């Protein structure tokens, strides 16, 4: 068991670092520690003290946030839920890049781990980092070093001179105690577009069409293409909850109705969800163009919050009819997910996992108390549909040899880059299932590596192979670490082995 410290201020973090230097106890910082699928809050080496920063939960510049100053200076403990609720109450004209993880996950820890939100990679959203290094010194990056009262402190992301921000992400070079986080203006109109790919064999061409639409700015956010296993894993609980609570279904009748509703949302193997934003006129023209480009491969549906609200109101009243019931259930299940692109975080995907593993009563933040075992294997991919489709096929076939079905989303995250988020689910109370899942994850990783690719976010057990591939690069990383933390006070992290 590691000791855990819960500092509340920067001064307390500095004090902890000084104590760690004297006692030679490596420190392992986490913001909320909900890094499920990558090791949660567990340190990578034994003998560490965990620095749990969840008690540093201030939005420091609350009174200065406005449409003209769309920046929140946040501490590590600020959750997605905190930021959303604050903006909803005080600045409904502003939103931000939320992830599909729970409401209680952090904004800053996720960005430092280079997580990906519905608008894009979170790394792009943070700058002006305040951090404590391994010698107990406090630094600010960019123009924040001029002092909080400088007019440039929270407005210029780059500062002057070498940009040190990158040294603090996926690293163990310092303990970040606050950062500037970009907020986004709400657009006058927003709509989600759902695509159901009719034939799995067209996945490559379909992805190329989606990638082109991202490059040309037609699809504004990250477009997620999920396979059936993933869609099922994400929606079944929402569907079943509605059918049980609102329609009184139980047992086999419930299962049959849930399958019928799932078929409406995901009628084929691959379903993608993207979104468009702009004025009413821009939206009309963009949707027309998207439809023209994709309808030869996919069934295209436009989903707006108003349509869902209206549809639900009507269909819910008609729920004694099986067809209406299925549609109302589908709306109830997809609504929280559709809100993600509009900056509304949800626990729905975590609740689904808790339900699947028999603990629907647990709050989402306690996922680790359930039997849900989860391993992420997330390859970074080129923006080449054919390549991606071939690799996904190979990984699926490989996983099947271990008895696993992969839950996969292919995310078009920037105009030039695609990532896949692949998770392996297993019962972690069953030692054989745990061992088998790890064997499967290792095989998938080796296949990714053999294709000349890498994961974009790693578990600690992958890093020996990663380092072996480019030892000189990682030796340079190690020497940079020595500058800020010569005694190794901040523990080896997942990305920076000892
Ligand atoms: C169903 C499901 C859906 C998910 N969806 C997404 C998704 O859409 N996008 C996504 O990115 N992830 C997703 N995740 C993964 C994960 O839950 C999130 O990334 C989550 O935000 C990470 O937990 P956290 O915010 O508490 O970060 P933490 O666990 O606190 O931090 C992550 C890591 O960053 C480092 N770190 C944290 N804080 C500091 C600090 N202050 N100083 C220095 N280093 C620090 C540490 O190494 C730490 O291990 C999902 C997980 C599940 C189970």
């Amino acid at each position: 068991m590691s000791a855990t410290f819960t500092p509340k201020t920067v001064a307390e973090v500095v004090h902890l670092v000084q104590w760690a230097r004297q006692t030679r106890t490596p420190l392992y910082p986490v913001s909320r520690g909900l890094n499920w699928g990558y090791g949660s809050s567990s340190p990578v080496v034994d003998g560490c003290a965990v620095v749990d920063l969840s008690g540093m939960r201030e939005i420091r510049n609350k009174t200065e946030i406005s449409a003209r100053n769309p920046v929140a200076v946040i501490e590590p403990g600020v959750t997605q839920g905190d930021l959303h609720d604050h903006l909803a109450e005080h600045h409904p004209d502003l939103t931000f890049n939320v992830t599909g993880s729970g409401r209680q996950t952090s904004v800053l820890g996720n960005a430092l781990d280079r997580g990906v939100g519905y608008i894009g990679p979170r790394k792009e959203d943070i700058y002006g980092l305040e951090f404590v290094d391994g010698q107990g010194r406090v630094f600010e990056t960019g123009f924040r070093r001029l002092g909080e009262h400088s007019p440039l402190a929270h407005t210029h992301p780059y500062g002057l001179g070498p940009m040190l921000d990158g040294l603090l992400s996926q690293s163990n070079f310092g303990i970040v105690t606050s950062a500037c986080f970009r907020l986004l203006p709400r657009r006058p109109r927003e709509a989600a577009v759902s695509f159901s790919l009719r034939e799995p064999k067209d996945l490559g061409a379909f992805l190329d069409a989606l990638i082109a639409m991202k490059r040309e700015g037609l699809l504004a956010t990250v477009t997620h293409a999920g396979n059936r296993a993933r869609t099922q894993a994400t929606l079944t609980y929402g569907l079943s909850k509605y059918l049980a609570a609102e329609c009184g279904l139980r047992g086999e009748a419930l299962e049959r109705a849930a399958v019928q509703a799932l078929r409406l949302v995901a009628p084929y193997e691959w379903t993608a969800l993207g979104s468009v934003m702009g004025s009413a006129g821009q939206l009309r023209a963009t949707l027309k163009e998207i439809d023209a480009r994709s309808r030869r491969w996919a069934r295209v549906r436009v989903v707006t919050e108003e349509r869902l609200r209206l549809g639900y109101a009507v269909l819910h009243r008609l729920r004694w009819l099986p067809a209406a019931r299925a549609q109302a259930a589908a709306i109830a299940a997809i609504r929280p997910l559709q809100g993600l692109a509009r900056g509304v975080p949800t626990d729905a995907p975590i609740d689904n996992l808790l339900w699947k593993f028999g603990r629907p009563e647990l709050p989402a933040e306690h996922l680790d108390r359930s039997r849900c075992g989860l391993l992420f294997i997330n390859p970074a991919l080129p923006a080449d549909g054919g390549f991606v489709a071939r690799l996904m096929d190979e990984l699926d076939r490989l996983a099947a040899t271990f008895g696993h079905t992969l839950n996969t989303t292919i995310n078009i995250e920037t105009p030039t880059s695609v990532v896949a988020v692949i998770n392996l689910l297993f019962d972690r109370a069953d030692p054989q299932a745990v061992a088998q899942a790890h064997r499967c994850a290792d095989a998938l990783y080796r296949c990714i590596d053999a294709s000349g690719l890498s994961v974009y976010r790693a578990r600690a057990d992958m890093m020996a192979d990663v380092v072996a591939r480019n030892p000189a690069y990682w030796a340079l990383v190690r020497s940079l670490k020595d500058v800020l933390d010569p005694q190794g006070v901040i523990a080896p992290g997942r990305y920076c082995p000892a």
Side-chain angles (χ1 to χ4, degrees):
M1 269 303 267
S2 316
T4 299
F5 295 95
T6 52
K8 301 279 187 296
T9 62
V10 178
E12 286 178 22
V13 175
V14 170
H15 187 71
L16 252 180
V17 169
Q18 280 156 356
W19 168 85
R21 278 161 67 91
Q22 281 157 17
T23 58
R24 299 197 167 268
T25 312
L27 300 176
Y28 188 78
V30 295
S31 287
R32 300 286 305 182
L34 303 179
N35 213 3
W36 299 304
Y38 302 102
S40 295
S41 62
S42 308
V44 170
V45 292
D46 291 334
C48 297
V50 174
V51 183
D52 171 357
L53 296 155
S54 59
M56 293 184 71
R57 205 166 172 173
E58 282 297 310
I59 301 171
R60 289 200 191 155
N61 66 337
K62 269 185 184 156
T63 55
E64 289 148 36
I65 296 174
S66 70
R68 290 183 58 182
N69 184 36
V71 182
V73 180
I74 52 168
E75 292 187 339
V78 172
T79 67
Q80 303 205 98
D82 291 340
L83 188 56
H84 169 264
D85 295 350
H86 179 77
L87 294 179
E89 187 176 345
H90 301 284
H91 305 286
D93 50 342
L94 292 173
T95 180
F96 69 104
N97 182 16
V98 302
T99 72
S101 199
R103 277 179 55 88
Q104 294 298 327
T105 56
S106 75
V107 177
L108 190 45
N110 174 273
L112 291 172
D113 209 34
R114 299 221 280 275
V116 180
Y118 270 64
I119 306 288
R122 273 252 178 97
K123 173 200 155 287
E124 308 295 329
D125 300 328
I126 56 166
Y127 57 94
L129 309 181
E130 172 193 69
F131 71 99
V132 180
D133 78 353
Q135 302 181 60
R137 300 174 295 184
V138 181
F139 293 104
E140 293 89 17
T141 66
F143 281 140
R144 237 181 129 194
R145 67 183 162 75
L146 299 177
E148 298 295 316
H149 296 296
S150 163
L152 301 180
H154 305 156
T155 52
H156 278 246
Y158 311 127
L160 176 79
M163 285 176 64
L164 301 187
D165 303 46
L167 289 181
L168 278 311
S169 78
Q170 293 195 347
S171 83
N172 59 343
F173 288 10
I175 300 177
V176 179
T177 46
S178 71
C180 297
F181 182 74
R182 261 183 245 276
L183 304 174
L184 306 165
R186 272 199 190 287
R187 300 301 179 83
R189 292 286 174 94
E190 295 159 330
V193 190
S194 138
F195 308 84
S196 302
L197 178 66
R198 289 188 205 92
E199 298 287 343
K201 68 173 174 46
D202 292 332
L203 180 63
F206 175 58
L207 287 173
D208 279 334
L210 293 176
I211 292 164
M213 289 192 274
K214 172 75 180 175
R215 222 172 11 239
E216 293 169 39
L218 293 169
L219 287 167
T221 59
V222 175
T223 300
H224 295 74
N227 69 357
R228 199 193 297 267
R230 170 63 185 235
T231 310
Q232 207 164 340
T234 315
L235 291 177
T236 308
Y237 175 51
L239 297 170
S240 306
K241 198 160 84 170
Y242 174 86
L243 293 165
E246 304 294 345
C247 311
L249 298 186
R250 300 280 178 276
E252 273 184 27
L254 174 63
E255 271 174 39
R256 262 199 316 275
V259 169
Q260 189 190 0
L262 194 63
R263 243 185 255 127
L264 288 176
V265 190
Y268 309 113
E269 176 59 25
W270 290 93
T271 307
L273 193 69
S275 63
V276 293
M277 298 173 180
S279 66
Q282 283 169 325
L283 221 66
R284 256 195 313 278
T286 307
L287 289 170
K288 202 168 156 205
E289 180 70 16
I290 289 174
D291 184 61
R293 291 202 196 184
S294 30
R295 68 173 165 239
R296 66 188 266 216
W297 292 294
R299 186 194 79 179
V300 185
R301 295 260 196 280
V302 177
V303 192
T304 61
E305 180 53 24
E306 300 82 68
R307 277 191 198 184
L308 290 181
R309 209 176 14 238
L310 200 69
Y312 183 81
V314 174
L315 294 160
H316 178 65
R317 261 186 237 133
L318 297 174
R319 64 191 178 284
W320 46 275
L321 293 168
R325 185 165 70 205
Q327 292 197 45
I331 295 177
I334 63 169
R335 220 161 160 189
L337 305 172
Q338 199 259 343
L340 286 165
R342 288 182 293 110
V344 186
T346 174
D347 285 336
I350 313 293
D351 290 342
N352 261 282
L353 293 177
L354 285 165
W355 174 77
K356 193 176 164 74
F357 285 88
R359 298 297 304 275
E361 80 291 355
L362 277 180
E365 65 187 298
H366 295 318
L367 179 65
D368 281 337
R369 291 189 194 164
S370 76
R371 293 161 68 122
C372 172
L374 171 67
L375 291 173
F376 276 120
I377 306 102
N378 295 352
L381 298 162
D384 174 342
F387 184 104
V388 173
R390 278 191 300 279
L391 182 72
M392 292 304 122
D393 189 46
E394 197 177 342
L395 295 177
D396 277 339
R397 280 189 281 112
L398 187 55
T401 64
F402 292 86
H404 271 282
T405 302
L406 299 178
N407 290 260
T408 303
T409 58
I410 300 166
N411 302 340
I412 299 164
E413 56 159 20
T414 75
T416 55
S417 66
V418 175
V419 297
V421 175
I422 301 176
N423 63 51
L424 282 179
L425 292 175
F426 55 95
D427 180 353
R428 63 195 185 95
D430 173 351
Q432 277 185 354
V434 174
Q436 182 73 342
H438 278 275
R439 276 194 293 272
C440 181
D442 289 348
L444 294 173
Y445 176 76
R446 279 195 301 275
C447 176
I448 290 163
D449 186 56
S451 308
L453 303 174
S454 173
V455 287
Y456 72 92
R457 213 167 152 190
R459 299 189 320 277
D461 56 310
M462 295 167 168
M463 281 309 290
D465 286 344
V466 172
V467 172
R469 212 170 220 271
N470 305 99
Y473 176 83
W474 291 97
L476 172 64
V477 170
R478 180 70 240 181
S479 59
L480 291 171
K481 158 87 171 160
D482 288 341
V483 173
L484 288 167
D485 185 16
Q487 281 178 263
V489 165
I490 301 161
R494 278 172 301 121
Y495 305 101
C496 296

